[in-house]
mmCIF file of all heavy atoms in Angstrom:
data_model
loop_
_atom_site.group_PDB
_atom_site.id
_atom_site.type_symbol
_atom_site.label_atom_id
_atom_site.label_comp_id
_atom_site.label_asym_id
_atom_site.label_seq_id
_atom_site.Cartn_x
_atom_site.Cartn_y
_atom_site.Cartn_z
ATOM 1 N N MET U 1 143.844 -36.604 -129.155
ATOM 2 C CA MET U 1 143.527 -35.985 -127.876
ATOM 3 C C MET U 1 142.104 -36.404 -127.492
ATOM 4 O O MET U 1 141.221 -36.476 -128.325
ATOM 5 C CB MET U 1 143.652 -34.471 -127.995
ATOM 6 C CG MET U 1 143.367 -33.747 -126.709
ATOM 7 S SD MET U 1 143.571 -31.954 -126.824
ATOM 8 C CE MET U 1 145.221 -31.800 -126.182
ATOM 9 N N CYS U 2 141.900 -36.641 -126.213
ATOM 10 C CA CYS U 2 140.578 -37.051 -125.755
ATOM 11 C C CYS U 2 139.578 -35.896 -125.935
ATOM 12 O O CYS U 2 139.961 -34.737 -125.968
ATOM 13 C CB CYS U 2 140.640 -37.512 -124.298
ATOM 14 S SG CYS U 2 140.994 -36.214 -123.117
ATOM 15 N N PRO U 3 138.292 -36.212 -126.037
ATOM 16 C CA PRO U 3 137.297 -35.180 -126.325
ATOM 17 C C PRO U 3 137.200 -34.077 -125.271
ATOM 18 O O PRO U 3 136.911 -32.942 -125.603
ATOM 19 C CB PRO U 3 135.981 -35.946 -126.416
ATOM 20 C CG PRO U 3 136.298 -37.378 -126.304
ATOM 21 C CD PRO U 3 137.739 -37.538 -125.964
ATOM 22 N N ASP U 4 137.429 -34.409 -124.010
ATOM 23 C CA ASP U 4 137.281 -33.409 -122.950
ATOM 24 C C ASP U 4 138.594 -32.751 -122.541
ATOM 25 O O ASP U 4 138.591 -31.857 -121.705
ATOM 26 C CB ASP U 4 136.639 -34.041 -121.713
ATOM 27 C CG ASP U 4 135.184 -34.421 -121.949
ATOM 28 O OD1 ASP U 4 134.527 -33.779 -122.788
ATOM 29 O OD2 ASP U 4 134.712 -35.360 -121.297
ATOM 30 N N CYS U 5 139.717 -33.173 -123.111
ATOM 31 C CA CYS U 5 141.016 -32.644 -122.692
ATOM 32 C C CYS U 5 141.121 -31.135 -122.910
ATOM 33 O O CYS U 5 141.590 -30.405 -122.041
ATOM 34 C CB CYS U 5 142.151 -33.342 -123.423
ATOM 35 S SG CYS U 5 142.378 -35.061 -122.949
ATOM 36 N N GLU U 6 140.673 -30.678 -124.074
ATOM 37 C CA GLU U 6 140.765 -29.249 -124.373
ATOM 38 C C GLU U 6 139.879 -28.434 -123.436
ATOM 39 O O GLU U 6 140.298 -27.390 -122.923
ATOM 40 C CB GLU U 6 140.383 -28.996 -125.828
ATOM 41 C CG GLU U 6 140.619 -27.565 -126.261
ATOM 42 C CD GLU U 6 140.307 -27.345 -127.734
ATOM 43 O OE1 GLU U 6 140.298 -28.315 -128.508
ATOM 44 O OE2 GLU U 6 140.050 -26.188 -128.087
ATOM 45 N N ASP U 7 138.663 -28.905 -123.172
ATOM 46 C CA ASP U 7 137.763 -28.201 -122.255
ATOM 47 C C ASP U 7 138.339 -28.161 -120.846
ATOM 48 O O ASP U 7 138.291 -27.133 -120.167
ATOM 49 C CB ASP U 7 136.386 -28.864 -122.215
ATOM 50 C CG ASP U 7 135.594 -28.649 -123.479
ATOM 51 O OD1 ASP U 7 135.917 -27.716 -124.243
ATOM 52 O OD2 ASP U 7 134.646 -29.418 -123.708
ATOM 53 N N PHE U 8 138.889 -29.288 -120.398
ATOM 54 C CA PHE U 8 139.480 -29.358 -119.066
ATOM 55 C C PHE U 8 140.645 -28.372 -118.953
ATOM 56 O O PHE U 8 140.705 -27.573 -118.009
ATOM 57 C CB PHE U 8 139.953 -30.781 -118.770
ATOM 58 C CG PHE U 8 140.511 -30.957 -117.392
ATOM 59 C CD1 PHE U 8 139.668 -31.148 -116.312
ATOM 60 C CD2 PHE U 8 141.879 -30.945 -117.161
ATOM 61 C CE1 PHE U 8 140.171 -31.313 -115.024
ATOM 62 C CE2 PHE U 8 142.392 -31.106 -115.887
ATOM 63 C CZ PHE U 8 141.540 -31.290 -114.816
ATOM 64 N N ALA U 9 141.544 -28.401 -119.924
ATOM 65 C CA ALA U 9 142.720 -27.520 -119.895
ATOM 66 C C ALA U 9 142.305 -26.052 -119.936
ATOM 67 O O ALA U 9 142.853 -25.219 -119.204
ATOM 68 C CB ALA U 9 143.640 -27.850 -121.062
ATOM 69 N N ARG U 10 141.330 -25.721 -120.761
ATOM 70 C CA ARG U 10 140.879 -24.335 -120.873
ATOM 71 C C ARG U 10 140.253 -23.860 -119.561
ATOM 72 O O ARG U 10 140.510 -22.748 -119.109
ATOM 73 C CB ARG U 10 139.874 -24.196 -122.007
ATOM 74 C CG ARG U 10 139.427 -22.752 -122.251
ATOM 75 C CD ARG U 10 138.394 -22.595 -123.349
ATOM 76 N NE ARG U 10 138.793 -23.208 -124.597
ATOM 77 C CZ ARG U 10 138.156 -24.235 -125.179
ATOM 78 N NH1 ARG U 10 137.090 -24.758 -124.613
ATOM 79 N NH2 ARG U 10 138.574 -24.721 -126.321
ATOM 80 N N THR U 11 139.450 -24.710 -118.928
ATOM 81 C CA THR U 11 138.789 -24.319 -117.681
ATOM 82 C C THR U 11 139.799 -24.172 -116.549
ATOM 83 O O THR U 11 139.714 -23.234 -115.753
ATOM 84 C CB THR U 11 137.690 -25.332 -117.305
ATOM 85 O OG1 THR U 11 136.795 -25.457 -118.410
ATOM 86 C CG2 THR U 11 136.914 -24.874 -116.093
ATOM 87 N N VAL U 12 140.782 -25.070 -116.486
ATOM 88 C CA VAL U 12 141.827 -24.955 -115.467
ATOM 89 C C VAL U 12 142.619 -23.666 -115.677
ATOM 90 O O VAL U 12 142.943 -22.948 -114.719
ATOM 91 C CB VAL U 12 142.749 -26.194 -115.476
ATOM 92 C CG1 VAL U 12 143.979 -25.975 -114.618
ATOM 93 C CG2 VAL U 12 141.979 -27.423 -114.988
ATOM 94 N N LEU U 13 142.913 -23.345 -116.936
ATOM 95 C CA LEU U 13 143.619 -22.098 -117.241
ATOM 96 C C LEU U 13 142.808 -20.891 -116.781
ATOM 97 O O LEU U 13 143.342 -19.969 -116.157
ATOM 98 C CB LEU U 13 143.907 -22.008 -118.744
ATOM 99 C CG LEU U 13 144.570 -20.722 -119.216
ATOM 100 C CD1 LEU U 13 145.985 -20.630 -118.669
ATOM 101 C CD2 LEU U 13 144.582 -20.652 -120.726
ATOM 102 N N LEU U 14 141.516 -20.889 -117.052
ATOM 103 C CA LEU U 14 140.664 -19.775 -116.631
ATOM 104 C C LEU U 14 140.613 -19.650 -115.111
ATOM 105 O O LEU U 14 140.640 -18.533 -114.574
ATOM 106 C CB LEU U 14 139.250 -19.953 -117.185
ATOM 107 C CG LEU U 14 139.091 -19.693 -118.676
ATOM 108 C CD1 LEU U 14 137.702 -20.140 -119.142
ATOM 109 C CD2 LEU U 14 139.318 -18.235 -119.003
ATOM 110 N N LEU U 15 140.552 -20.780 -114.413
ATOM 111 C CA LEU U 15 140.573 -20.736 -112.943
ATOM 112 C C LEU U 15 141.884 -20.151 -112.430
ATOM 113 O O LEU U 15 141.897 -19.362 -111.482
ATOM 114 C CB LEU U 15 140.348 -22.129 -112.367
ATOM 115 C CG LEU U 15 138.911 -22.629 -112.368
ATOM 116 C CD1 LEU U 15 138.862 -24.122 -112.082
ATOM 117 C CD2 LEU U 15 138.081 -21.863 -111.350
ATOM 118 N N GLY U 16 142.987 -20.530 -113.059
ATOM 119 C CA GLY U 16 144.289 -19.975 -112.677
ATOM 120 C C GLY U 16 144.370 -18.483 -112.931
ATOM 121 O O GLY U 16 144.866 -17.715 -112.092
ATOM 122 N N GLN U 17 143.877 -18.045 -114.083
ATOM 123 C CA GLN U 17 143.879 -16.616 -114.393
ATOM 124 C C GLN U 17 142.980 -15.843 -113.436
ATOM 125 O O GLN U 17 143.312 -14.726 -113.030
ATOM 126 C CB GLN U 17 143.454 -16.391 -115.838
ATOM 127 C CG GLN U 17 144.492 -16.865 -116.826
ATOM 128 C CD GLN U 17 144.013 -16.754 -118.263
ATOM 129 O OE1 GLN U 17 142.816 -16.796 -118.538
ATOM 130 N NE2 GLN U 17 144.954 -16.619 -119.182
ATOM 131 N N LEU U 18 141.869 -16.441 -113.056
ATOM 132 C CA LEU U 18 140.972 -15.798 -112.100
ATOM 133 C C LEU U 18 141.644 -15.668 -110.738
ATOM 134 O O LEU U 18 141.506 -14.652 -110.059
ATOM 135 C CB LEU U 18 139.660 -16.574 -111.995
ATOM 136 C CG LEU U 18 138.554 -15.937 -111.170
ATOM 137 C CD1 LEU U 18 138.125 -14.603 -111.774
ATOM 138 C CD2 LEU U 18 137.362 -16.875 -111.079
ATOM 139 N N ALA U 19 142.392 -16.688 -110.336
ATOM 140 C CA ALA U 19 143.119 -16.627 -109.060
ATOM 141 C C ALA U 19 144.170 -15.520 -109.086
ATOM 142 O O ALA U 19 144.337 -14.788 -108.104
ATOM 143 C CB ALA U 19 143.764 -17.971 -108.759
ATOM 144 N N LEU U 20 144.871 -15.390 -110.208
ATOM 145 C CA LEU U 20 145.860 -14.314 -110.335
ATOM 146 C C LEU U 20 145.174 -12.944 -110.283
ATOM 147 O O LEU U 20 145.666 -12.021 -109.639
ATOM 148 C CB LEU U 20 146.644 -14.458 -111.642
ATOM 149 C CG LEU U 20 147.606 -15.637 -111.713
ATOM 150 C CD1 LEU U 20 148.191 -15.751 -113.119
ATOM 151 C CD2 LEU U 20 148.708 -15.498 -110.681
ATOM 152 N N TYR U 21 144.050 -12.822 -110.973
ATOM 153 C CA TYR U 21 143.295 -11.570 -110.954
ATOM 154 C C TYR U 21 142.864 -11.226 -109.527
ATOM 155 O O TYR U 21 142.946 -10.067 -109.102
ATOM 156 C CB TYR U 21 142.073 -11.680 -111.874
ATOM 157 C CG TYR U 21 141.119 -10.521 -111.733
ATOM 158 C CD1 TYR U 21 141.437 -9.267 -112.234
ATOM 159 C CD2 TYR U 21 139.899 -10.677 -111.075
ATOM 160 C CE1 TYR U 21 140.571 -8.194 -112.100
ATOM 161 C CE2 TYR U 21 139.023 -9.621 -110.931
ATOM 162 C CZ TYR U 21 139.360 -8.371 -111.440
ATOM 163 O OH TYR U 21 138.502 -7.318 -111.293
ATOM 164 N N ALA U 22 142.411 -12.221 -108.770
ATOM 165 C CA ALA U 22 141.928 -11.983 -107.406
ATOM 166 C C ALA U 22 143.029 -11.422 -106.507
ATOM 167 O O ALA U 22 142.737 -10.699 -105.546
ATOM 168 C CB ALA U 22 141.373 -13.274 -106.813
ATOM 169 N N ASP U 23 144.292 -11.727 -106.817
ATOM 170 C CA ASP U 23 145.404 -11.238 -106.008
ATOM 171 C C ASP U 23 145.872 -9.846 -106.413
ATOM 172 O O ASP U 23 146.723 -9.259 -105.744
ATOM 173 C CB ASP U 23 146.590 -12.204 -106.093
ATOM 174 C CG ASP U 23 146.358 -13.457 -105.259
ATOM 175 O OD1 ASP U 23 145.512 -13.425 -104.343
ATOM 176 O OD2 ASP U 23 147.019 -14.470 -105.533
ATOM 177 N N MET U 24 145.325 -9.313 -107.502
ATOM 178 C CA MET U 24 145.723 -7.984 -107.958
ATOM 179 C C MET U 24 145.074 -6.906 -107.095
ATOM 180 O O MET U 24 143.952 -7.066 -106.618
ATOM 181 C CB MET U 24 145.292 -7.761 -109.415
ATOM 182 C CG MET U 24 146.017 -8.604 -110.409
ATOM 183 S SD MET U 24 145.389 -8.414 -112.105
ATOM 184 C CE MET U 24 145.376 -6.655 -112.312
ATOM 185 N N ALA U 25 145.797 -5.810 -106.929
ATOM 186 C CA ALA U 25 145.222 -4.664 -106.224
ATOM 187 C C ALA U 25 144.061 -4.128 -107.044
ATOM 188 O O ALA U 25 144.154 -3.996 -108.264
ATOM 189 C CB ALA U 25 146.281 -3.584 -106.040
ATOM 190 N N GLY U 26 142.955 -3.868 -106.393
ATOM 191 C CA GLY U 26 141.797 -3.305 -107.064
ATOM 192 C C GLY U 26 140.915 -4.327 -107.765
ATOM 193 O O GLY U 26 140.001 -3.952 -108.491
ATOM 194 N N ALA U 27 141.189 -5.607 -107.575
ATOM 195 C CA ALA U 27 140.370 -6.645 -108.212
ATOM 196 C C ALA U 27 138.948 -6.596 -107.673
ATOM 197 O O ALA U 27 138.715 -6.290 -106.497
ATOM 198 C CB ALA U 27 140.971 -8.021 -107.953
ATOM 199 N N ASP U 28 138.008 -6.888 -108.522
ATOM 200 C CA ASP U 28 136.598 -6.936 -108.131
ATOM 201 C C ASP U 28 136.324 -8.310 -107.513
ATOM 202 O O ASP U 28 136.059 -9.281 -108.211
ATOM 203 C CB ASP U 28 135.720 -6.706 -109.367
ATOM 204 C CG ASP U 28 134.243 -6.688 -109.051
ATOM 205 O OD1 ASP U 28 133.858 -7.049 -107.914
ATOM 206 O OD2 ASP U 28 133.459 -6.326 -109.944
ATOM 207 N N LEU U 29 136.412 -8.384 -106.199
ATOM 208 C CA LEU U 29 136.283 -9.669 -105.514
ATOM 209 C C LEU U 29 134.862 -10.213 -105.546
ATOM 210 O O LEU U 29 134.669 -11.424 -105.436
ATOM 211 C CB LEU U 29 136.803 -9.553 -104.081
ATOM 212 C CG LEU U 29 138.302 -9.213 -103.985
ATOM 213 C CD1 LEU U 29 138.737 -9.128 -102.521
ATOM 214 C CD2 LEU U 29 139.149 -10.213 -104.745
ATOM 215 N N ASP U 30 133.877 -9.353 -105.743
ATOM 216 C CA ASP U 30 132.508 -9.849 -105.932
ATOM 217 C C ASP U 30 132.432 -10.646 -107.229
ATOM 218 O O ASP U 30 131.791 -11.695 -107.282
ATOM 219 C CB ASP U 30 131.497 -8.705 -105.971
ATOM 220 C CG ASP U 30 131.292 -8.056 -104.608
ATOM 221 O OD1 ASP U 30 131.523 -8.747 -103.583
ATOM 222 O OD2 ASP U 30 130.908 -6.875 -104.560
ATOM 223 N N PHE U 31 133.086 -10.151 -108.268
ATOM 224 C CA PHE U 31 133.149 -10.868 -109.543
ATOM 225 C C PHE U 31 133.821 -12.225 -109.352
ATOM 226 O O PHE U 31 133.323 -13.250 -109.819
ATOM 227 C CB PHE U 31 133.922 -10.029 -110.569
ATOM 228 C CG PHE U 31 134.216 -10.747 -111.852
ATOM 229 C CD1 PHE U 31 133.238 -10.893 -112.822
ATOM 230 C CD2 PHE U 31 135.480 -11.276 -112.101
ATOM 231 C CE1 PHE U 31 133.507 -11.554 -114.018
ATOM 232 C CE2 PHE U 31 135.757 -11.933 -113.282
ATOM 233 C CZ PHE U 31 134.765 -12.074 -114.243
ATOM 234 N N VAL U 32 134.933 -12.234 -108.637
ATOM 235 C CA VAL U 32 135.661 -13.480 -108.385
ATOM 236 C C VAL U 32 134.779 -14.459 -107.622
ATOM 237 O O VAL U 32 134.724 -15.652 -107.961
ATOM 238 C CB VAL U 32 136.977 -13.204 -107.618
ATOM 239 C CG1 VAL U 32 137.660 -14.501 -107.214
ATOM 240 C CG2 VAL U 32 137.921 -12.346 -108.454
ATOM 241 N N ASP U 33 134.066 -13.972 -106.616
ATOM 242 C CA ASP U 33 133.191 -14.835 -105.813
ATOM 243 C C ASP U 33 132.057 -15.444 -106.631
ATOM 244 O O ASP U 33 131.612 -16.551 -106.345
ATOM 245 C CB ASP U 33 132.596 -14.053 -104.634
ATOM 246 C CG ASP U 33 133.613 -13.758 -103.551
ATOM 247 O OD1 ASP U 33 134.689 -14.408 -103.542
ATOM 248 O OD2 ASP U 33 133.346 -12.865 -102.719
ATOM 249 N N VAL U 34 131.594 -14.728 -107.643
ATOM 250 C CA VAL U 34 130.497 -15.226 -108.475
ATOM 251 C C VAL U 34 131.010 -16.181 -109.550
ATOM 252 O O VAL U 34 130.420 -17.232 -109.805
ATOM 253 C CB VAL U 34 129.728 -14.046 -109.127
ATOM 254 C CG1 VAL U 34 128.789 -14.533 -110.202
ATOM 255 C CG2 VAL U 34 128.981 -13.258 -108.064
ATOM 256 N N VAL U 35 132.120 -15.830 -110.178
ATOM 257 C CA VAL U 35 132.601 -16.588 -111.331
ATOM 258 C C VAL U 35 133.342 -17.866 -110.932
ATOM 259 O O VAL U 35 133.193 -18.904 -111.594
ATOM 260 C CB VAL U 35 133.498 -15.695 -112.223
ATOM 261 C CG1 VAL U 35 134.164 -16.489 -113.320
ATOM 262 C CG2 VAL U 35 132.679 -14.565 -112.806
ATOM 263 N N SER U 36 134.119 -17.840 -109.866
ATOM 264 C CA SER U 36 134.956 -19.001 -109.532
ATOM 265 C C SER U 36 134.153 -20.276 -109.269
ATOM 266 O O SER U 36 134.506 -21.336 -109.806
ATOM 267 C CB SER U 36 135.906 -18.690 -108.375
ATOM 268 O OG SER U 36 135.213 -18.242 -107.244
ATOM 269 N N PRO U 37 133.052 -20.245 -108.509
ATOM 270 C CA PRO U 37 132.299 -21.492 -108.331
ATOM 271 C C PRO U 37 131.695 -21.995 -109.647
ATOM 272 O O PRO U 37 131.632 -23.203 -109.891
ATOM 273 C CB PRO U 37 131.199 -21.140 -107.337
ATOM 274 C CG PRO U 37 131.622 -19.884 -106.677
ATOM 275 C CD PRO U 37 132.510 -19.179 -107.651
ATOM 276 N N SER U 38 131.275 -21.069 -110.498
ATOM 277 C CA SER U 38 130.701 -21.473 -111.782
ATOM 278 C C SER U 38 131.732 -22.168 -112.654
ATOM 279 O O SER U 38 131.434 -23.171 -113.313
ATOM 280 C CB SER U 38 130.144 -20.255 -112.514
ATOM 281 O OG SER U 38 129.143 -19.637 -111.762
ATOM 282 N N LEU U 39 132.941 -21.635 -112.668
ATOM 283 C CA LEU U 39 134.010 -22.279 -113.440
ATOM 284 C C LEU U 39 134.352 -23.647 -112.859
ATOM 285 O O LEU U 39 134.514 -24.617 -113.596
ATOM 286 C CB LEU U 39 135.264 -21.406 -113.453
ATOM 287 C CG LEU U 39 135.327 -20.303 -114.483
ATOM 288 C CD1 LEU U 39 136.575 -19.458 -114.272
ATOM 289 C CD2 LEU U 39 135.299 -20.864 -115.883
ATOM 290 N N ALA U 40 134.460 -23.721 -111.552
ATOM 291 C CA ALA U 40 134.820 -24.989 -110.919
ATOM 292 C C ALA U 40 133.775 -26.068 -111.202
ATOM 293 O O ALA U 40 134.119 -27.218 -111.492
ATOM 294 C CB ALA U 40 134.994 -24.792 -109.415
ATOM 295 N N VAL U 41 132.507 -25.704 -111.149
ATOM 296 C CA VAL U 41 131.438 -26.666 -111.397
ATOM 297 C C VAL U 41 131.428 -27.108 -112.854
ATOM 298 O O VAL U 41 131.024 -28.224 -113.167
ATOM 299 C CB VAL U 41 130.092 -26.032 -110.979
ATOM 300 C CG1 VAL U 41 128.920 -26.570 -111.728
ATOM 301 C CG2 VAL U 41 129.880 -26.218 -109.501
ATOM 302 N N SER U 42 131.892 -26.254 -113.750
ATOM 303 C CA SER U 42 131.853 -26.584 -115.172
ATOM 304 C C SER U 42 133.004 -27.478 -115.611
ATOM 305 O O SER U 42 133.056 -27.890 -116.770
ATOM 306 C CB SER U 42 131.845 -25.302 -116.012
ATOM 307 O OG SER U 42 133.115 -24.681 -115.998
ATOM 308 N N LEU U 43 133.930 -27.787 -114.703
ATOM 309 C CA LEU U 43 135.047 -28.668 -115.071
ATOM 310 C C LEU U 43 134.525 -30.037 -115.501
ATOM 311 O O LEU U 43 133.769 -30.666 -114.767
ATOM 312 C CB LEU U 43 135.995 -28.869 -113.893
ATOM 313 C CG LEU U 43 137.090 -27.847 -113.696
ATOM 314 C CD1 LEU U 43 137.786 -28.081 -112.357
ATOM 315 C CD2 LEU U 43 138.081 -27.861 -114.818
ATOM 316 N N PRO U 44 134.933 -30.489 -116.671
ATOM 317 C CA PRO U 44 134.565 -31.859 -117.053
ATOM 318 C C PRO U 44 135.420 -32.847 -116.264
ATOM 319 O O PRO U 44 136.339 -32.454 -115.535
ATOM 320 C CB PRO U 44 134.903 -31.905 -118.542
ATOM 321 C CG PRO U 44 135.971 -30.880 -118.718
ATOM 322 C CD PRO U 44 135.694 -29.810 -117.693
ATOM 323 N N GLU U 45 135.137 -34.128 -116.418
ATOM 324 C CA GLU U 45 135.980 -35.144 -115.784
ATOM 325 C C GLU U 45 137.409 -34.940 -116.271
ATOM 326 O O GLU U 45 137.633 -34.645 -117.448
ATOM 327 C CB GLU U 45 135.507 -36.542 -116.185
ATOM 328 C CG GLU U 45 134.233 -36.962 -115.500
ATOM 329 C CD GLU U 45 134.419 -37.171 -114.007
ATOM 330 O OE1 GLU U 45 135.430 -37.756 -113.583
ATOM 331 O OE2 GLU U 45 133.533 -36.724 -113.263
ATOM 332 N N PRO U 46 138.400 -35.068 -115.379
ATOM 333 C CA PRO U 46 139.783 -34.894 -115.827
ATOM 334 C C PRO U 46 140.165 -35.973 -116.834
ATOM 335 O O PRO U 46 139.679 -37.101 -116.749
ATOM 336 C CB PRO U 46 140.610 -35.011 -114.551
ATOM 337 C CG PRO U 46 139.705 -35.522 -113.510
ATOM 338 C CD PRO U 46 138.304 -35.342 -113.965
ATOM 339 N N PRO U 47 141.026 -35.612 -117.777
ATOM 340 C CA PRO U 47 141.469 -36.599 -118.768
ATOM 341 C C PRO U 47 142.191 -37.760 -118.090
ATOM 342 O O PRO U 47 142.792 -37.592 -117.022
ATOM 343 C CB PRO U 47 142.443 -35.814 -119.648
ATOM 344 C CG PRO U 47 142.128 -34.381 -119.403
ATOM 345 C CD PRO U 47 141.586 -34.291 -118.017
ATOM 346 N N PRO U 48 142.147 -38.942 -118.690
ATOM 347 C CA PRO U 48 142.851 -40.099 -118.125
ATOM 348 C C PRO U 48 144.337 -39.781 -117.933
ATOM 349 O O PRO U 48 144.958 -39.145 -118.777
ATOM 350 C CB PRO U 48 142.656 -41.193 -119.171
ATOM 351 C CG PRO U 48 141.506 -40.746 -119.996
ATOM 352 C CD PRO U 48 141.472 -39.252 -119.936
ATOM 353 N N GLY U 49 144.871 -40.193 -116.798
ATOM 354 C CA GLY U 49 146.286 -39.991 -116.511
ATOM 355 C C GLY U 49 146.608 -38.678 -115.827
ATOM 356 O O GLY U 49 147.754 -38.419 -115.492
ATOM 357 N N THR U 50 145.599 -37.838 -115.586
ATOM 358 C CA THR U 50 145.840 -36.557 -114.928
ATOM 359 C C THR U 50 146.243 -36.766 -113.469
ATOM 360 O O THR U 50 147.106 -36.071 -112.951
ATOM 361 C CB THR U 50 144.591 -35.656 -115.003
ATOM 362 O OG1 THR U 50 144.235 -35.466 -116.374
ATOM 363 C CG2 THR U 50 144.831 -34.312 -114.368
ATOM 364 N N PHE U 51 145.606 -37.711 -112.827
ATOM 365 C CA PHE U 51 145.890 -38.023 -111.432
ATOM 366 C C PHE U 51 146.330 -39.475 -111.327
ATOM 367 O O PHE U 51 145.958 -40.299 -112.165
ATOM 368 C CB PHE U 51 144.636 -37.800 -110.572
ATOM 369 C CG PHE U 51 144.142 -36.372 -110.610
ATOM 370 C CD1 PHE U 51 143.006 -36.038 -111.324
ATOM 371 C CD2 PHE U 51 144.828 -35.378 -109.943
ATOM 372 C CE1 PHE U 51 142.554 -34.732 -111.376
ATOM 373 C CE2 PHE U 51 144.390 -34.063 -109.986
ATOM 374 C CZ PHE U 51 143.250 -33.738 -110.708
ATOM 375 N N PRO U 52 147.107 -39.813 -110.293
ATOM 376 C CA PRO U 52 147.518 -41.217 -110.119
ATOM 377 C C PRO U 52 146.311 -42.142 -109.998
ATOM 378 O O PRO U 52 145.243 -41.730 -109.524
ATOM 379 C CB PRO U 52 148.317 -41.204 -108.811
ATOM 380 C CG PRO U 52 148.659 -39.777 -108.557
ATOM 381 C CD PRO U 52 147.633 -38.944 -109.260
ATOM 382 N N ASP U 53 146.460 -43.374 -110.443
ATOM 383 C CA ASP U 53 145.356 -44.333 -110.423
ATOM 384 C C ASP U 53 144.812 -44.595 -109.020
ATOM 385 O O ASP U 53 143.641 -44.892 -108.859
ATOM 386 C CB ASP U 53 145.790 -45.672 -111.050
ATOM 387 C CG ASP U 53 145.987 -45.534 -112.552
ATOM 388 O OD1 ASP U 53 145.400 -44.615 -113.156
ATOM 389 O OD2 ASP U 53 146.750 -46.343 -113.096
ATOM 390 N N ASP U 54 145.647 -44.478 -107.984
ATOM 391 C CA ASP U 54 145.206 -44.791 -106.629
ATOM 392 C C ASP U 54 144.646 -43.564 -105.886
ATOM 393 O O ASP U 54 144.337 -43.655 -104.712
ATOM 394 C CB ASP U 54 146.330 -45.420 -105.833
ATOM 395 C CG ASP U 54 147.535 -44.502 -105.671
ATOM 396 O OD1 ASP U 54 147.624 -43.482 -106.404
ATOM 397 O OD2 ASP U 54 148.390 -44.795 -104.819
ATOM 398 N N SER U 55 144.506 -42.416 -106.566
ATOM 399 C CA SER U 55 143.976 -41.242 -105.883
ATOM 400 C C SER U 55 142.461 -41.339 -105.775
ATOM 401 O O SER U 55 141.789 -41.907 -106.631
ATOM 402 C CB SER U 55 144.363 -39.966 -106.628
ATOM 403 O OG SER U 55 143.716 -39.886 -107.873
ATOM 404 N N ASP U 56 141.916 -40.778 -104.702
ATOM 405 C CA ASP U 56 140.481 -40.775 -104.473
ATOM 406 C C ASP U 56 140.046 -39.350 -104.191
ATOM 407 O O ASP U 56 140.316 -38.809 -103.125
ATOM 408 C CB ASP U 56 140.130 -41.673 -103.290
ATOM 409 C CG ASP U 56 138.622 -41.778 -103.064
ATOM 410 O OD1 ASP U 56 137.859 -41.118 -103.796
ATOM 411 O OD2 ASP U 56 138.227 -42.529 -102.151
ATOM 412 N N PRO U 57 139.391 -38.676 -105.166
ATOM 413 C CA PRO U 57 138.982 -37.282 -104.958
ATOM 414 C C PRO U 57 138.095 -37.087 -103.736
ATOM 415 O O PRO U 57 138.109 -36.035 -103.128
ATOM 416 C CB PRO U 57 138.222 -36.933 -106.236
ATOM 417 C CG PRO U 57 138.574 -37.971 -107.225
ATOM 418 C CD PRO U 57 138.990 -39.192 -106.451
ATOM 419 N N ALA U 58 137.334 -38.102 -103.366
ATOM 420 C CA ALA U 58 136.465 -37.984 -102.189
ATOM 421 C C ALA U 58 137.268 -37.861 -100.903
ATOM 422 O O ALA U 58 136.818 -37.286 -99.931
ATOM 423 C CB ALA U 58 135.532 -39.184 -102.116
ATOM 424 N N GLU U 59 138.481 -38.408 -100.914
ATOM 425 C CA GLU U 59 139.337 -38.340 -99.726
ATOM 426 C C GLU U 59 140.294 -37.150 -99.792
ATOM 427 O O GLU U 59 141.044 -36.922 -98.847
ATOM 428 C CB GLU U 59 140.145 -39.630 -99.592
ATOM 429 C CG GLU U 59 139.315 -40.839 -99.248
ATOM 430 C CD GLU U 59 140.158 -42.091 -99.092
ATOM 431 O OE1 GLU U 59 141.405 -41.982 -99.104
ATOM 432 O OE2 GLU U 59 139.580 -43.165 -98.938
ATOM 433 N N GLY U 60 140.300 -36.440 -100.903
ATOM 434 C CA GLY U 60 141.191 -35.296 -101.039
ATOM 435 C C GLY U 60 142.629 -35.688 -101.288
ATOM 436 O O GLY U 60 143.545 -34.926 -101.065
ATOM 437 N N SER U 61 142.856 -36.922 -101.766
ATOM 438 C CA SER U 61 144.234 -37.350 -102.035
ATOM 439 C C SER U 61 144.403 -37.713 -103.484
ATOM 440 O O SER U 61 143.508 -37.947 -104.223
ATOM 441 C CB SER U 61 144.596 -38.548 -101.172
ATOM 442 O OG SER U 61 143.739 -39.638 -101.411
#
């Protein structure tokens, strides 16, 4: 496994769990607003093969 694969997968999982939490009744949306950008910024480069070779993140495709 590549060195960053585990970190990438764990961070994506945490972002998904945070999104689910944000949709719950009574969720602390201030917490979500503070934590979500921090998690997103901490994402390492995606592992090779995660996205098609012709995709360009700058173009959103």
Side-chain angles (χ1 to χ4, degrees):
M1 181 178 263
C2 68
D4 291 332
C5 291
E6 187 177 339
D7 289 341
F8 183 82
R10 184 182 307 116
T11 305
V12 169
L13 177 67
L14 286 170
L15 282 167
Q17 290 175 333
L18 187 62
L20 290 173
Y21 170 73
D23 284 340
M24 292 175 50
D28 182 349
L29 297 180
D30 289 335
F31 172 79
V32 174
D33 288 344
V34 168
V35 172
S36 56
S38 300
L39 276 175
V41 153
S42 73
L43 274 171
E45 286 292 318
T50 302
F51 299 106
D53 290 337
D54 62 345
S55 68
D56 184 358
E59 291 181 8
S61 59

